[in-house]
Amino acid sequence: MALAVSSRVPPVHGLGTPVALDGGTLVAHAMRQTRPDVVAAYPITPQTVITEAFSQFVANGEVHTEFVPVESEHAALSVCIGAAAAGARAQTATSGPGLALMWELLGVASGMRLPIVMHLCTRALSAPINILCDHSDAMAMRDTGWLLLFSENGQEAYDQAIIAVRLGEHPQVLLPVANVLDGFIVTHCVERALLLPDEVVSEFVGEYQPAYALLDLQRPVTVGGLDFQDFHMEHKRGQVEAMARAKGVLEGLFQEFAEISGRIYRLVEPYRLADAEVGVVVLGSTAGTVRYVVDRLRARGVRAGMLSIRSFRPFPALEVAAALAEVKAVGVLDRALAPGASAPPLFSDIASALAGVGLSKRLLGWVYGIGGREVLPQHIEGVFHTLADPSVPPGLVGWLGLREGR
Amino acid sequence: MGVESDVGRRWVEVRWHGRGGQGVVTASNLLAESALLDNLYFQSLPEFGAERSGAPVVAYTRIADTPIPFRFPVQEPHIVVVLDYTLWGHLPVVLGLRPGGLLLVNTPASPQVVVRSLGWPLATVATLDATAIAQATLGRPIPNVPILGGLLRLRPVVSLEAVQATLRQRLSARLGHQAMQANLQAFERGYQQVQSWEGR
């Protein structure tokens, strides 16, 4: 296989100082530049890069954050919740089983409307024990009321780590945000990226002005109150409405961020979809491989395209349906399983987004990359080939790169 | 020479084999960081496992003059570097090595010995006793910096100045001036002492 990079791939563009850093360290820089009051984290592979780099910044006096090296992830998120309720800007980072241990607190953070930022370095959930990338952790927090932003590379993870602070703290949102980066593939990949000046980031995120702070003694509020059949449902509706408002807020922030960085982000990122007959939908770092395959297929006359989902929660259903409206056959790649479900998570969302606007489309799905199984251009080419074959029935086709037989 | 000229583009992929503690990932990172100083695009990706001292480790480096769109493991390297000869026979270290590529092995043996054991003279085969150089210069058997010198001699995928500047910047901050000087010396010796056997 001769690899040749298409000239269509956009250059790493925009403003900032070129650096050679892995995705985890880039995110740690974004944390330093957004100046959280409190960071509580427990080291877990592959997130450790972030915690190590950030705690070094604290030790060096490069950021004046109260860094709390807790005894577990349950404690990490608990500390963040306490800090955020007190009115602090709080952040954490975790992976796979660490996120699983946080689970009880995920709903507490969103239900208390605390704009905590979590950097989630995706990792398979045990068992069998595995430290490598898949999205089973992110998908397990799908319905906990957190905003979920996926990134393709270290630059995007860094940029989103900055945007996430503004997003969560926005008065129309007030929800926790997970900045999702693929474990190892992004966290440990040293790449060229652009680091914005400290003062530019500082000005962009501004000072956090909490609307309600536990330690604001002039305006006392109840925090974490008991809430039964009389008002629980209304408070939950408030969360859902905030999530819906987050879409527009995020779009506005992308515009503002473009002004300081020169990098333009969208809720969903279409690539050569306008006249595509076959399109693949994907989350996270695999978008790069799909984009590369799209270019190769286009060079051979195949009308291929891609849709990468950046904002997974809120899920921009209308934008997804609009982007896929003219595509004849759509392939959805899921890096997580939903045993016993009618379809894996991303497939289900795409299907309901299309159905929601009355679009009936040939929709095929694949599971890939579970537990770090590599996904190569030939796998993606196979997906496009199958999409173009009308004899293959729609639905879940299979698992990419699976060893067949027992 | 190691750099594929594909429609005038620079594109080189390297696979590194070694054991935990030999600086395999650091070597890959140093090469990538040097490429930044040459204003190139690059990736350094460790092969992900439960790393521990002595266990086999793989890392990949890509260097290009255009952005690199994907992040999957290198499949067909132009260059394979083996930092630990005891891996020989246990791992398919030459798997996917491109014809005309470079196989660089850390061993006191001559390239001809490696060629005979391969029975596969399609690549340039080179050897360097990087462990001995490291022992003599750094006082520790960490062969990554000398082997980087050997690699740069045979395939100038980045400039010598860029690697030397990267070593100075990175190592003086982390290890101090003396260790940085020793590493520069190790790099230099690797560059000078590498032996190669040109394949067909």
Side-chain angles (χ1 to χ4, degrees), chain A residues 1-7 9-12 18-21 131-132 152-153 184-186 188-192 285 288-289 291-292 374-378, chain B residues 4 6-7 9 11 13 29 32-33 35-36 38-46 48-51 62 64 66-73 75-76 98:
Chain A
M1 179 184 59
L3 296 169
V5 182
S6 162
S7 57
V9 175
V12 175
V19 291
L21 291 174
I131 58 171
L132 305 179
E152 182 181 323
N153 51 40
F184 286 110
I185 301 165
V186 175
H188 285 61
C189 181
V190 174
E191 281 187 284
R192 187 184 171 115
S285 65
T289 311
R291 190 181 298 109
Y292 167 70
E374 71 273 15
V375 59
L376 301 172
Q378 50 264 42
Chain B
E4 185 171 285
D6 188 347
V7 283
R9 292 209 177 92
W11 180 259
E13 296 181 285
N29 286 353
E33 288 167 31
L36 175 71
D38 281 347
N39 201 25
L40 294 166
Y41 291 88
F42 51 83
Q43 278 178 355
S44 171
L45 309 103
F48 319 118
E51 279 83 8
R62 288 190 175 102
T66 49
I68 303 165
F70 40 68
R71 275 150 209 90
F72 52 80
Q75 304 294 295
E76 294 184 357
R98 297 187 193 211

Side-chain angles (χ1 to χ4, degrees), chain A residues 71-315:
Chain A
E71 80 280 11
S72 78
E73 287 86 355
H74 192 278
L77 193 49
S78 297
V79 166
C80 287
I81 287 168
R89 178 178 282 165
Q91 299 188 10
T92 187
T94 195
S95 285
L99 181 71
L101 189 51
M102 285 182 177
W103 205 84
E104 181 190 3
L105 287 315
L106 292 174
V108 177
S110 58
M112 288 172 67
R113 308 293 299 275
L114 301 173
I116 296 161
V117 171
M118 174 200 295
H119 305 289
L120 176 62
C121 308
T122 58
R123 165 177 166 170
L125 293 174
S126 305
I129 196 162
N130 183 302
I131 58 171
L132 305 179
C133 175
D134 70 32
H135 295 159
S136 52
D137 51 0
M139 292 303 153
M141 76 183 295
R142 185 186 62 168
D143 299 330
T144 58
W146 284 61
L147 294 101
L148 285 156
L149 306 179
F150 279 76
S151 57
E152 182 181 323
N153 51 40
Q155 182 74 63
E156 293 190 4
Y158 166 81
D159 290 343
Q160 289 182 182
I162 296 165
I163 294 166
V165 174
R166 285 280 303 279
L167 178 61
E169 291 174 4
H170 194 282
Q172 294 294 307
V173 179
L174 290 177
L175 285 172
V177 187
N179 177 37
V180 186
L181 53 159
D182 280 353
F184 286 110
I185 301 165
V186 175
T187 58
H188 285 61
C189 181
V190 174
E191 281 187 284
R192 187 184 171 115
L194 297 166
L195 215 56
L196 290 167
D198 290 356
E199 60 276 11
V200 169
V201 177
S202 170
E203 196 180 330
F204 179 81
V205 295
E207 290 294 325
Y208 176 37
Q209 305 288 350
Y212 309 99
L214 191 61
L215 297 183
D216 182 354
L217 301 179
Q218 304 306 312
R219 296 191 306 159
V221 288
T222 299
V223 168
L226 200 62
D227 195 11
F228 281 161
Q229 67 273 44
D230 46 359
F231 272 108
H232 187 88
M233 200 149 144
E234 285 71 24
H235 285 133
K236 285 293 158 188
R237 181 186 62 177
Q239 262 180 264
V240 172
E241 287 173 347
M243 182 68 88
R245 287 194 298 270
K247 202 176 92 171
V249 172
L250 183 53
E251 282 182 309
L253 288 171
F254 284 153
Q255 274 183 17
E256 267 190 64
F257 188 76
E259 284 162 24
I260 63 159
S261 70
R263 291 183 288 278
I264 298 160
Y265 292 120
R266 286 162 290 194
L267 301 171
V268 293
E269 304 284 351
Y271 184 68
R272 303 187 84 168
L273 264 184
D275 65 339
E277 292 181 341
V278 280
V280 161
V281 187
V282 71
L283 282 169
S285 65
T286 308
T289 311
V290 178
R291 190 181 298 109
Y292 167 70
V293 171
V294 164
D295 286 342
R296 286 218 307 199
L297 292 173
R298 286 272 175 177
R300 301 207 300 256
V302 179
R303 280 155 71 176
M306 176 187 77
L307 187 67
S308 173
I309 310 290
R310 182 179 307 285
S311 174
F312 182 66
R313 288 293 179 272
F315 192 78

Side-chain angles (χ1 to χ4, degrees), chain A residues 381-404:
Chain A
E381 287 204 9
V383 165
F384 277 110
H385 185 74
T386 307
L387 283 176
D389 178 356
S391 71
V392 178
L396 193 61
V397 178
W399 300 44
L400 294 181
L402 182 75
R403 294 161 194 255
E404 298 291 353

